[in-house]
Amino acid sequence: MLVSDALAQRRQQMPSRSEQPGGEAPPPRQEKNFPFDASWTIRQMNGKPVTGYRATLKVDSNLRGTGFGGCNTFSASAYPLRQQAFAVGPIAVTKMACDKGASDFERSYLMALRTARQWDLVEGRLVLKTGSGEIRFDRGI
């Protein structure tokens, strides 16, 4: 009994975690609001600047993602979810004939968009984290 009494006294004397310096729980993370109806233009994909090709994205309040992939226009269901998760459904694309470079870029862009899992706003830019890296967008006009 002496051992259990000593442990009980010791527990009473120890400060709780919230009383310990630096033991305070961090404030809950502020949930960001997805920027619906804003137009975005690609600036970087997987850490590399995008030059020579133009690609865009816009997600409206009806959860419809539309844009230009470098050669064709596209549309898909796009879902900004809780905790900044992001999901894109199957993508419908027009069938314009393009040069090989534009077609390859567009295929890479749409594949990255389809695998997007998280979104964030960083310094006024939209960032989509994908299965193979990230896509960074500047706000368009």
Side-chain angles (χ1 to χ4, degrees), residues 88-106:
V88 176
I91 299 174
V93 183
T94 58
K95 300 209 181 241
M96 298 286 293
C98 308
D99 67 64
K100 183 174 176 8
S103 292
D104 290 346
F105 169 78
E106 182 173 80

Side-chain angles (χ1 to χ4, degrees), residues 102-131:
S103 292
D104 290 346
F105 169 78
E106 182 173 80
R107 189 178 304 98
S108 297
Y109 171 59
L110 295 178
M111 182 65 70
L113 193 61
R114 182 70 170 95
T115 63
R117 298 289 175 251
Q118 294 282 319
W119 69 271
D120 200 0
L121 290 174
V122 179
E123 297 175 358
R125 293 184 169 99
L126 177 64
V127 178
L128 295 180
K129 294 182 170 110
T130 71

Side-chain angles (χ1 to χ4, degrees), residues 10-43:
R10 194 170 181 193
R11 283 189 187 129
Q12 287 176 348
Q13 292 172 352
M14 293 178 63
S16 69
R17 286 186 181 176
S18 62
E19 295 170 349
Q20 291 177 0
E24 293 181 21
R29 188 171 146 189
Q30 181 76 23
E31 189 74 23
K32 294 181 180 181
N33 293 319
F34 188 84
F36 289 109
D37 298 311
S39 296
W40 301 94
T41 302
I42 194 169
R43 286 295 162 234

